[in-house]
Amino acid sequence: MEYDIKTHKREELIDITEYILQSIRKSNIKEGIVVVFTPHTTAALTINENADPSVKEDVLEFLNRKIPKECNIFTHLEGNSDAHIKSSLFGTSLNLIVSNGQLILGTWQGIYFCEFDGPRSRKFYVKIIRDNL
Amino acid sequence: MEYDIKTHKREELIDITEYILQSIRKSNIKEGIVVVFTPHTTAALTINENADPSVKEDVLEFLNRKIPKECNIFTHLEGNSDAHIKSSLFGTSLNLIVSNGQLILGTWQGIYFCEFDGPRSRKFYVKIIRDNL
Amino acid sequence: MEYDIKTHKREELIDITEYILQSIRKSNIKEGIVVVFTPHTTAALTINENADPSVKEDVLEFLNRKIPKECNIFTHLEGNSDAHIKSSLFGTSLNLIVSNGQLILGTWQGIYFCEFDGPRSRKFYVKIIRDNL
């Protein structure tokens, strides 16, 4: 399944858990795995706390302090090398497990699309693989 | 399969390779993949050297120097934003390959549960997907 | 499938996209996922920009500035703790999706083998799992 989202800031973590749950419900899968993939080089996917929004802010602020947009060692003319580095650090794919028809996800875990060079129109894909016991 | 482990320090890398090998033996799988997933937002999973324990120490010490627990930019009141950042950097899932009934793992590779805000009782899940050639 | 590559510098990103595409063509898969895995503790796999080579240079230069080979906190006698840390940060495996017989990959995405302690002879494995709808 393919999903489109719109980001609104240069850096932003957007909760996409509901899209993944929807894919799983549609597939009617009982046991298997889920792969989520984003086809961008200045974005990423991650799983982190979904309760206190200050965690998202601390993650983004910390990344910006350590990997600033303006950095005298960067040579890439587009000026977004920081976003490329963040993308490789967090990764562009996620693995999840489905068991007894339920996505295994911790109480405090949300699934996030990570925008590092927005605002833009972005995509991600969800593929569900059934366990063929 | 679901596994419970107990961590003993705030930061700790615990070798869980034997649990994964056990899951593979039980499943009797010949060809396929393994997904390992941990449902926590201040922990992670990684693969790294299993021989010299100084590698684990260097990894944890380096993370603590660069991502200190006390950091004046953090606003999250629980005081463990460093652990949330480390969790997203290392990731909460792993992918492995099984071929000819054997887990593909380098001579020096061990599979580690990464505790970043312990000590706590923690969980991880192992899902094995058979290749249906 | 198992692939051998030779790296030529201490740090280097080598485009392995063509090998993955070749594996997919050989498998004749229409729908499924691909797992790529490297069995080394001082190397990694990542997906990033394949167009302007300055991105690769910026990524490697940035990692070296932040995670220097010589660092007074490292105790591991082999002197390559930086490479072990980079390996855990980028990760030793990748997940990809195949849909309608095509690998889902962004226009600007290439798949890279990341050497962090070369030059060496290295390996990576590709496993393709069919979706058994």
Side-chain angles (χ1 to χ4, degrees):
Chain A
M1 274 152 285
E2 182 180 334
Y3 292 96
D4 294 288
I5 50 167
K6 198 119 190 59
T7 63
H8 300 94
K9 300 192 219 168
R10 181 160 198 270
E11 292 103 16
E12 192 178 4
L13 299 189
I14 297 175
D15 192 329
I16 57 169
T17 313
E18 196 43 56
Y19 297 97
I20 315 299
L21 291 172
Q22 191 190 101
S23 292
I24 292 167
R25 282 192 299 266
K26 277 187 192 165
S27 75
N28 222 10
I29 188 183
K30 288 288 167 282
E31 298 288 329
I33 60 168
V34 181
V35 172
V36 191
F37 182 83
T38 186
H40 309 290
T41 59
T42 53
L45 297 166
T46 200
I47 293 176
N48 219 312
E49 164 145 350
N50 61 4
D52 183 346
S54 67
V55 171
K56 293 199 292 182
E57 288 162 31
D58 286 357
V59 169
L60 290 176
E61 178 65 12
F62 182 83
L63 287 178
N64 282 343
R65 293 286 178 112
K66 294 290 178 182
I67 315 173
K69 187 176 184 315
E70 313 297 338
C71 177
N72 59 9
I73 67 164
F74 293 151
T75 61
H76 181 48
L77 290 177
E78 269 188 273
N80 59 358
S81 287
D82 67 309
H84 288 288
I85 294 165
K86 292 168 189 168
S87 173
S88 276
L89 286 172
F90 275 27
T92 56
S93 66
L94 290 176
N95 281 304
L96 300 153
I97 296 173
V98 177
S99 190
N100 298 315
Q102 298 289 317
L103 178 64
I104 293 181
L105 203 63
T107 319
W108 311 109
Q109 283 184 319
I111 304 168
Y112 289 95
F113 181 90
C114 311
E115 174 62 84
F116 295 129
D117 192 32
R120 302 204 197 198
S121 294
R122 299 293 205 174
K123 274 184 198 305
F124 62 91
Y125 297 85
V126 180
K127 187 77 175 174
I128 292 170
I129 301 287
R130 244 162 267 273
D131 189 358
N132 49 326
L133 296 171
Chain B
M1 272 153 286
E2 182 180 334
Y3 292 96
D4 295 289
I5 50 168
K6 199 118 191 60
T7 62
H8 301 93
K9 298 192 220 169
R10 183 160 197 270
E11 293 103 15
E12 191 178 4
L13 300 188
I14 296 175
D15 192 329
I16 57 169
T17 313
E18 196 43 56
Y19 297 97
I20 316 301
L21 292 171
Q22 190 190 103
S23 292
I24 293 169
R25 281 192 300 267
K26 277 188 191 163
S27 76
N28 222 9
I29 188 183
K30 288 287 168 281
E31 299 288 329
I33 59 168
V34 181
V35 172
V36 191
F37 182 83
T38 186
H40 308 291
T41 59
T42 53
L45 297 165
T46 198
I47 294 176
N48 219 311
E49 165 146 349
N50 61 4
D52 183 347
S54 66
V55 171
K56 292 198 294 183
E57 288 162 30
D58 286 357
V59 168
L60 291 175
E61 178 65 12
F62 182 83
L63 287 178
N64 282 343
R65 293 286 177 112
K66 294 291 178 180
I67 314 172
K69 186 175 185 314
E70 312 297 338
C71 176
N72 60 8
I73 67 166
F74 293 151
T75 60
H76 181 47
L77 290 176
E78 268 189 275
N80 59 358
S81 286
D82 67 309
H84 288 290
I85 293 166
K86 292 169 190 169
S87 174
S88 276
L89 287 172
F90 275 26
T92 57
S93 67
L94 290 176
N95 280 305
L96 299 153
I97 296 173
V98 176
S99 190
N100 298 316
Q102 299 289 317
L103 178 65
I104 293 180
L105 202 63
T107 319
W108 310 110
Q109 283 183 322
I111 305 167
Y112 290 95
F113 182 90
C114 311
E115 173 62 83
F116 295 129
D117 191 33
R120 299 203 198 199
S121 295
R122 300 293 205 173
K123 274 182 197 304
F124 63 91
Y125 297 85
V126 179
K127 187 77 175 176
I128 292 170
I129 301 287
R130 244 162 269 271
D131 189 0
N132 49 328
L133 295 170
Chain C
M1 273 152 285
E2 182 180 333
Y3 292 96
D4 295 290
I5 50 167
K6 196 120 191 58
T7 62
H8 300 93
K9 299 192 220 170
R10 183 162 197 268
E11 292 103 18
E12 191 178 3
L13 299 189
I14 297 175
D15 192 329
I16 57 168
T17 313
E18 196 44 57
Y19 297 96
I20 315 300
L21 292 171
Q22 190 190 101
S23 292
I24 293 168
R25 282 192 299 269
K26 277 188 190 164
S27 76
N28 223 10
I29 188 182
K30 289 286 165 287
E31 298 290 328
I33 60 168
V34 181
V35 173
V36 192
F37 182 82
T38 187
H40 308 290
T41 58
T42 53
L45 297 165
T46 199
I47 293 175
N48 219 310
E49 165 147 350
N50 60 4
D52 183 345
S54 66
V55 171
K56 292 199 293 181
E57 289 162 30
D58 286 358
V59 168
L60 290 176
E61 177 65 13
F62 182 83
L63 287 178
N64 281 343
R65 294 286 178 112
K66 293 291 178 181
I67 314 172
K69 186 176 184 315
E70 312 297 338
C71 177
N72 59 9
I73 66 164
F74 293 152
T75 60
H76 181 48
L77 291 176
E78 268 188 274
N80 59 359
S81 287
D82 67 309
H84 287 290
I85 293 165
K86 292 168 190 170
S87 173
S88 275
L89 287 172
F90 276 27
T92 56
S93 68
L94 291 176
N95 281 305
L96 299 153
I97 297 174
V98 176
S99 190
N100 298 315
Q102 299 289 317
L103 178 65
I104 293 181
L105 201 64
T107 319
W108 311 109
Q109 282 183 321
I111 305 168
Y112 290 95
F113 181 91
C114 311
E115 174 62 83
F116 294 130
D117 192 32
R120 299 204 198 196
S121 295
R122 298 293 205 174
K123 275 183 197 304
F124 62 91
Y125 297 85
V126 179
K127 187 78 177 175
I128 293 171
I129 301 287
R130 244 162 267 273
D131 189 359
N132 49 326
L133 296 170

